[in-house]
Amino acid sequence: MANKLIVESSPHRHKGVFTNNIMLDVLIALLPAVIASAVLFGFRALVLVFVSAAFSLLCEYLFNVITKTRQTVGDLSALVTGVLLALNVPAGIPFYILLIGDFFAIIIVKALFGGIGKNFANPAITARIVLMIAFPSAMATFLEPFYDTVASATPLADKSASYMDLFLGNVSGSIGEVSALALIIGGIYLLCRKVISPIIPLSFIGTVALISFIAGEDPLYAVLSGGLLLGAIFMATDYVTSPVSDRGKWIFGIGCGIITALIRLYGSYPEGVSFSILLMNICTPLIEKIPGRKPFGAKEAGK
Amino acid sequence: MKKMNSIFISPEKQGGHNITETISLPSELIIPVQQHIGAPPEVKVAVGSEVKKGDILADGDAPMCVPVHAPLNGTVKEIYDFVLSSGVRTRAIKLLVTGAGEDNFAAPKVESKEDFISFVRSIGAVGLGGASFPTHIKLNPQKDVDTLIINAAECEPRITADQREIVENSEGIINGIRLIKKYTGVEKVYIALENREKEEIELVKELIREEEGVFLSLLKPTYPQGAEKVLIYNVTGRIVPEGGLPMDAGVIVMNVSTVGLIGASLISGAPLMRKRITVGGDCLKEHKNIFVPIGTKIKDIAEYFGGYIKEPAAILLGGPMMGQAVYSDEFPIMKNTNAVLFLSEKALGKRKESECIRCGRCIKACPFDLNPVFLADAYENRDEEALKKEHIMLCMECGSCSYVCPASRHLTQSHRLAKTFLKERSAKKNGK
Ligand code: SF4
Ligand code: SF4
């Protein structure tokens, strides 16, 4: 025997699914929404997605190089953030605003907190909110699909679209949030691949529907319009910023739903999805304190 | 009933269904004298002694002691200090093999429970599935037990030795069951098998048709189905309390090969001298079961298989999930070895640790509902309180959490260290 044998602690095998595989699955799941955005808002939407993804990756790469930390672009999480942020902006947004958003998401929200796994808030959500506050008009100037004209208001605000238009995405809004069909396809893919658990999307969407119904609104309209599906399927389910336990996930999802519905009904912003997710991100460490399932055979603690 | 978490590992059991072959006579054996959990035995031979197959090499008077027998004829060449792969220090006997030896043992007389227990001890029986707990202690529980579970649910991928035991030693197994039932007073016997082992299921059904109180328990082929506490829960619904033994739940769990050994030895009188092991891995041409004398060096096994087709990066005693990696191929096969795997770097599939992404997969994988990521963080901070509060001592080191972790965190390893850390701390406290 020439070589030295590796003597490591068991197990000596791995399932073979690593962080980058999971992120790749999320990117695949976002593909229908990206395609839909290109169909609805034209080539510019596609360019927005690619530029945002590439710039996010570059930010992370440079940060790692400059700070001499382990290169983490390989985990693909920066790509996911870049794509998600692009899907959260209107089609006509100036490029520099989107790039500022990417920089903010990757460097301020993620890298400065210690990189993947350490950030307490979802980078794409936080960046979107910052852009909404810093560039209110650019972030609220939505285009009509298929036409390059500026829409008067999103369907969430004026409640004019038909179910079919909402379902397919023939309404104004951020480029990735309008097509319910594309988002649901992506969501089903993530569920089948066991990348996400259904708890957060279902409890989030269900709560919004229920409260809208009680308040006398059309629940189906509430679910299909605005950024609810995009937020509930792709952003509230971010591992890092949502609870790990099933119990915690229920609380998180219902909390997001309540806040979203309340902002939509009573707030001055027509849309509450981003704020609700950010608020619940902040609550996550608290939610995690709630004990999970009792271990098998465990005696009471401290005895 | 609350379902226990489990994971699915693709079985890769290609091969390993052959009739067990016997390895060609090795020229030298290395026999560590402590091959059980418990009191160390004394060496009963001296350098230069001639021993015959079946002679006692080491034994002791302590209750938790089990003798070790000479597997072949030979001359004691050396007696020296030896460290087991578990880290335990013991003595080892190097035996120069002079011949295969004869099998002329007298069948024992077993007429009472005392006879039975001392017979089980005399043949050197220990838990053959890996635990190596002295069988004569297990069969003499200090609490009321009503159920015997025979573990034939090998959940480690690639290991088929127990399946071959059922096919090749069914007589011995049923004999063993009858004996154990008679002398321990258990009312119910369950033979636990994975539901995909069709051939073995038919065999066992046939075998127990006439037996009263013996049942077949079919389990899902998930991991870690064959772990003691998991098995007890899935077969009987009972939970072994923290820090307790199976007998605290009224159960005895025995590996099918141990039962087979007892049953066969009652007729032949032969002590435990050889082991059926599954040999495989991508560094060998074949994947099959062979009989080897206890003490056979791993090197001789590789040679019997025609040498390595790839240089192994790791050699495991046991399966990929819970097996122990050894330092060299000079290491011997012991009573509790059930497999030797020769794995290349690629088959190990290891990656560097990266940041935890808080995906929760480890929690969903833990059979006991522990929180592996929390425990690992608590150990990093040497947080004794948190480790205790989250029940680290329940961890059976099954490896499921590390297996699924997308960040390749060495969770199981951290838990193992944490348990040692707690034990040392409490030993220190008690010492003062
Ligand atoms: S190694 Fe321990 S913590 Fe990890 S899954 Fe197994 S029992 Fe649970
Ligand atoms: S499986 Fe790994 S990455 Fe996921 S929560 Fe557990 S330790 Fe973190």
Side-chain angles (χ1 to χ4, degrees), chain A residues 1-23 70 114-118 193-197 199 238-246 249 284 288 293-302, chain B residues 2-5 9-10 12 157 233 239-242 308 311-316 320-323 325-329 348 350-351 354-359 361 363-364 367-370 389 391 394 399 402-403 405-406 408 412-413 416:
Chain A
M1 293 239 25
N3 295 1
K4 259 204 140 171
L5 292 173
I6 299 173
V7 183
E8 274 184 359
S9 186
S10 64
H12 308 278
R13 238 181 132 187
H14 194 275
K15 189 175 160 94
V17 175
F18 300 99
T19 306
N20 58 325
N21 304 96
I22 293 169
M23 294 300 159
R70 202 163 57 87
I116 186 167
K118 298 280 170 60
R193 300 280 298 168
K194 294 210 165 65
V195 171
I196 59 169
S197 132
I199 297 175
D238 172 27
Y239 293 147
V240 177
T241 53
S242 66
V244 284
S245 71
D246 285 356
K249 287 192 169 89
T284 295
E288 296 278 45
R293 301 217 297 190
K294 180 171 160 266
F296 277 83
K299 296 211 182 103
E300 282 315 305
Chain B
K2 195 160 87 162
K3 206 172 148 262
M4 227 179 221
N5 294 332
I9 301 177
S10 63
E12 293 183 29
Y233 185 70
I239 296 175
V240 179
E242 187 169 355
Y308 305 126
E311 194 67 27
I315 299 177
L316 307 182
M321 293 300 287
M322 290 185 82
V326 292
Y327 286 97
S328 107
D329 59 3
L348 287 171
K350 294 243 168 167
R351 281 211 193 175
S354 55
E355 280 303 328
C356 165
I357 55 170
R358 296 177 26 92
C359 65
R361 279 173 172 76
I363 300 173
K364 280 264 188 296
F368 297 154
D369 279 333
L370 298 173
K389 219 175 121 241
H391 307 281
L394 277 174
S402 294
Y403 177 81
C405 175
S408 297
T412 309
Q413 182 178 6
R416 197 172 284 135

Side-chain angles (χ1 to χ4, degrees), chain A residues 52-276:
Chain A
S52 175
F55 188 68
S56 298
L57 212 56
L58 184 72
C59 285
E60 180 149 317
Y61 176 79
L62 289 179
F63 183 89
N64 288 332
V65 168
I66 291 166
T67 59
K68 296 204 175 68
T69 42
R70 202 163 57 87
Q71 193 48 262
T72 51
V73 286
D75 68 28
L76 305 183
S77 66
L79 270 188
V80 171
T81 300
V83 173
L84 273 176
L85 185 61
L87 294 180
N88 268 297
V89 299
I93 195 167
F95 277 96
Y96 75 92
I97 293 182
L98 183 57
L99 298 187
I100 290 173
D102 288 329
F103 178 84
F104 191 84
I106 298 295
I107 303 297
I108 312 280
V109 187
K110 196 169 120 186
L112 289 183
F113 278 95
I116 186 167
K118 298 280 170 60
N119 50 303
F120 72 91
N122 181 305
I125 285 281
T126 316
R128 182 192 189 191
I129 290 174
V130 166
L131 294 185
M132 274 161 67
I133 294 167
F135 307 97
S137 75
M139 285 294 284
T141 312
F142 298 107
L143 299 185
E144 290 283 4
F146 303 115
Y147 304 99
D148 245 356
T149 54
V150 172
S152 48
T154 67
L156 191 60
D158 70 4
K159 311 245 174 339
S160 60
S162 75
Y163 286 148
M164 205 48 181
D165 284 342
L166 284 171
F167 189 64
L168 295 177
N170 191 16
V171 292
S172 66
S174 299
I175 62 170
E177 71 180 24
V178 289
S179 172
L181 175 66
L183 293 168
I184 290 169
I185 293 173
I188 291 172
Y189 177 80
L190 289 182
L191 287 176
C192 290
R193 300 280 298 168
K194 294 210 165 65
V195 171
I196 59 169
S197 132
I199 297 175
I200 290 178
L202 290 186
S203 56
F204 190 168
I205 295 167
T207 306
V208 171
L210 186 70
I211 296 180
S212 306
F213 178 72
I214 292 169
E217 307 251 332
D218 179 349
L220 189 58
Y221 201 96
V223 170
L224 293 178
S225 61
L228 180 58
L229 290 176
L230 180 62
I233 297 171
F234 289 99
M235 313 225 271
T237 53
D238 172 27
Y239 293 147
V240 177
T241 53
S242 66
V244 284
S245 71
D246 285 356
R247 242 177 257 191
K249 287 192 169 89
W250 281 108
I251 297 172
F252 184 91
I254 292 170
C256 285
I258 293 173
I259 299 170
T260 300
L262 291 183
I263 294 178
R264 282 185 177 184
L265 290 170
Y266 305 112
S268 54
Y269 276 96
E271 178 58 306
V273 173
S274 301
F275 287 106
S276 74

Side-chain angles (χ1 to χ4, degrees), chain B residues 170-196:
Chain B
S170 53
E171 254 336 271
I173 294 169
I174 201 73
N175 233 329
I177 292 176
R178 288 185 193 137
L179 272 174
I180 295 167
K181 257 185 91 184
K182 187 164 164 194
Y183 293 115
T184 60
V186 293
E187 291 145 27
K188 284 185 177 168
V189 180
Y190 294 95
I191 302 179
L193 262 176
E194 291 193 342
N195 60 17
R196 63 179 164 200

Side-chain angles (χ1 to χ4, degrees), chain B residues 39-61:
Chain B
E42 280 162 45
V43 178
K44 299 283 183 194
V45 291
V47 174
S49 309
E50 294 286 330
V51 296
K52 280 221 271 311
K53 180 178 186 181
D55 285 356
I56 289 177
L57 296 178
D59 200 355
D61 297 328

